[in-house]
Amino acid sequence: MTEEKFIDYHQCAKVVKVLDDYFKSIDEIASVEYPKNILYKSNEYFLYMFYSCLLDYGMRSKIYHKNLANTYEKNPKIFDPKYVINMEIEELKNIIINNIHPRYPNIAVSKWLELSKELSCYDNILDYLKDINSFEKLESFIRGIKGYGQKTGGLLIRIITDTKVCNFNENVDSIPIDRHDIEISFLTGIIADKQIGNRTIKELSDTYVRISKDLDINPSDVDKYLWELGSSFCNSKRCSECPLSNCCKVDKRKI
């Protein structure tokens, strides 16, 4: 089977429609929390989101964000890149490990420091974002920062795009596909195999976006639906309550 025929467009459209019908009336889908004393869309807000998305792997996400907010209250300076790059590495490591409790501690510290070096090059990240005049340029900017993966970088791109702070009116034009999305797509019959290459991953993302537009749904919302589905249902094994239970193979396969 060639990769061009690998994706079932009609099944994907059915899945997207079911997800939209289920989630569209629910507030705060896949929302990313931030401390209440940070002003939304401020420079501090965007700095916090850069750090927040860096380590958000979707697993135990709510606990992670609670830990992160508590860390900000006690140690706000580690969300200031110019401060971080002048810290002793052991001090930074102790704060991150003992407060954020990341899944991969040493990698988390390394990523935090590298991101701080990148962000310290900008006097004001908000002003920089305001000057970005296309979704493509925003995506290129975020993808060019070392440390973000397909999903974590995509989450940050979606958050920034949804604020409308950049100098463009485009919606999200790509949906990041990670192993959880591949699993969902496989179990619902959108793809026939979980072992897919980069070409098919790109095609799968493009298919979700194209269907979103065909159904007059913001692709950003579909990204949120997939994220929320994985977080609230798949990871919690709430299969019988899942909106996709009627078209998912999980029960039949005893996965």
Side-chain angles (χ1 to χ4, degrees):
M1 182 180 291
T2 64
E3 287 199 325
E4 288 83 352
K5 299 179 180 178
F6 204 74
I7 298 170
D8 188 329
Y9 179 92
H10 296 292
Q11 181 64 11
C12 190
K14 177 182 176 182
V15 166
V16 169
K17 183 65 167 59
V18 170
L19 291 177
D20 186 59
D21 288 343
Y22 183 87
F23 285 117
K24 66 181 177 183
S25 60
I26 302 176
D27 294 331
E28 302 300 322
I29 292 296
S31 60
V32 177
E33 298 177 11
Y34 60 95
K36 292 182 174 60
N37 57 334
I38 293 181
L39 181 65
Y40 179 58
K41 292 171 59 171
S42 65
N43 187 62
E44 290 72 22
Y45 169 82
F46 286 108
L47 286 175
Y48 185 89
M49 285 302 162
F50 270 85
Y51 287 111
S52 174
C53 294
L54 185 69
L55 305 178
D56 188 348
Y57 302 109
M59 301 290 288
R60 303 177 69 215
S61 188
K62 294 185 186 302
I63 296 174
Y64 163 71
H65 285 293
K66 182 179 179 180
N67 290 342
L68 200 69
N70 290 337
T71 303
Y72 182 86
E73 289 182 10
K74 293 187 287 186
N75 299 280
K77 287 294 187 180
I78 72 161
F79 296 85
D80 178 348
K82 288 184 171 61
Y83 181 86
V84 173
I85 61 175
N86 292 308
M87 289 180 69
E88 293 291 336
I89 188 68
E90 282 304 313
E91 180 187 4
L92 177 64
K93 184 175 182 178
N94 287 335
I95 292 173
I96 289 176
I97 291 177
N98 294 327
N99 293 275
I100 302 175
H101 308 294
R103 289 175 65 196
Y104 310 108
N106 291 331
I107 293 175
V109 173
S110 177
K111 283 187 172 186
W112 200 281
L113 183 57
E114 288 301 317
L115 175 60
S116 298
K117 290 177 181 177
E118 291 272 0
L119 293 176
S120 67
C121 297
Y122 303 91
D123 291 330
N124 188 296
I125 197 64
L126 172 59
D127 288 342
Y128 182 81
L129 293 174
K130 285 180 177 178
D131 285 338
I132 296 178
N133 58 14
S134 72
F135 177 83
E136 183 181 4
K137 289 182 179 178
L138 174 63
E139 187 174 41
S140 177
F141 170 56
I142 301 302
R143 297 296 182 197
I145 298 176
K146 185 178 179 182
Y148 291 109
Q150 174 76 358
K151 199 67 175 180
T152 55
L155 175 60
L156 180 57
I157 292 167
R158 186 238 294 165
I159 288 171
I160 294 172
T161 302
D162 286 352
T163 66
K164 303 296 183 183
V165 71
C166 298
N167 189 27
F168 61 82
N169 293 318
E170 303 166 68
N171 289 323
V172 166
D173 205 30
S174 66
I175 291 177
I177 302 294
D178 68 356
R179 63 184 182 87
H180 300 293
D181 300 320
I182 292 171
E183 180 82 3
I184 290 168
S185 300
F186 168 69
L187 290 173
T188 55
I190 295 170
I191 55 177
D193 196 321
K194 288 190 289 186
Q195 305 302 317
I196 59 176
N198 290 334
R199 179 180 174 184
T200 303
I201 290 173
K202 173 65 166 59
E203 186 182 349
L204 183 59
S205 173
D206 291 344
T207 301
Y208 273 114
V209 171
R210 182 155 55 97
I211 287 170
S212 301
K213 293 178 178 179
D214 288 347
L215 296 176
D216 197 26
I217 302 170
N218 187 338
S220 176
D221 289 336
V222 175
D223 182 27
K224 293 176 187 177
Y225 299 160
L226 290 169
W227 186 284
E228 190 69 32
L229 190 79
S231 176
S232 296
F233 294 97
C234 302
N235 291 344
S236 304
K237 307 298 182 184
R238 295 170 55 203
C239 299
S240 62
E241 303 168 57
C242 178
L244 297 180
S245 59
N246 288 336
C247 60
C248 182
K249 306 173 190 175
V250 67
D251 289 331
K252 297 175 184 177
R253 295 172 55 85
K254 305 299 182 186
I255 295 176

